[in-house]
Amino acid sequence: EMIRVNYTEMDSAGGPTLRLEARGHAGYAPAGQDIVCAAASILMEAAAAVLREEQTPILDIRGKGLHMITAGGDSGALETARQGLSLLARHYADHVQIRDLRTRR
């Protein structure tokens, strides 16, 4: 088991669009005790909360083992979450993988 994270920045007609998608389960510990899953979840939850507080229009999709946030603009919330998930992937490489799929630089 593994959490697979994709981070995407795209140019669109209305300006930049950012997407952060976390899919899967870490498998670091039993359900309810998995600190890696908890860390990934709180990073995603915090990003969504900040975007809502900033009143940034977002698409927030959640399902079993999936949390995907898409937002327009250059809010730092998704970038901060991406950095946190990158650190998590560095420290728990067997349980978290992150791919940077930016098409804009």
Side-chain angles (χ1 to χ4, degrees):
E1 290 186 78
M2 178 176 281
I3 296 173
R4 298 186 191 285
V5 178
N6 291 325
Y7 179 72
T8 310
E9 290 182 359
M10 303 160 284
D11 284 319
S12 61
T17 300
L18 314 177
R19 178 175 295 144
L20 188 60
E21 175 184 350
R23 185 181 296 268
H25 298 283
Y28 180 78
Q33 300 174 19
D34 195 322
I35 61 170
V36 178
C37 271
S41 292
I42 201 62
L43 286 164
M44 295 296 289
E45 292 288 338
V50 168
L51 289 165
R52 280 191 198 91
E53 190 172 294
E54 293 175 345
Q55 299 182 342
T56 301
I58 65 170
L59 177 61
D60 187 0
I61 298 173
R62 300 161 191 239
K64 188 172 176 115
L66 168 71
H67 194 168
M68 181 172 61
I69 302 167
T70 305
D74 276 324
S75 168
L78 287 181
E79 173 59 19
T80 299
R82 183 200 65 79
Q83 289 177 5
L85 289 161
S86 292
L87 285 170
L88 200 59
R90 208 172 304 147
H91 291 285
Y92 297 95
D94 291 340
H95 303 281
V96 180
Q97 176 187 66
I98 187 163
R99 293 186 320 154
D100 189 331
L101 304 172
R102 284 184 259 200
T103 57
R104 65 186 280 265
R105 296 285 174 181

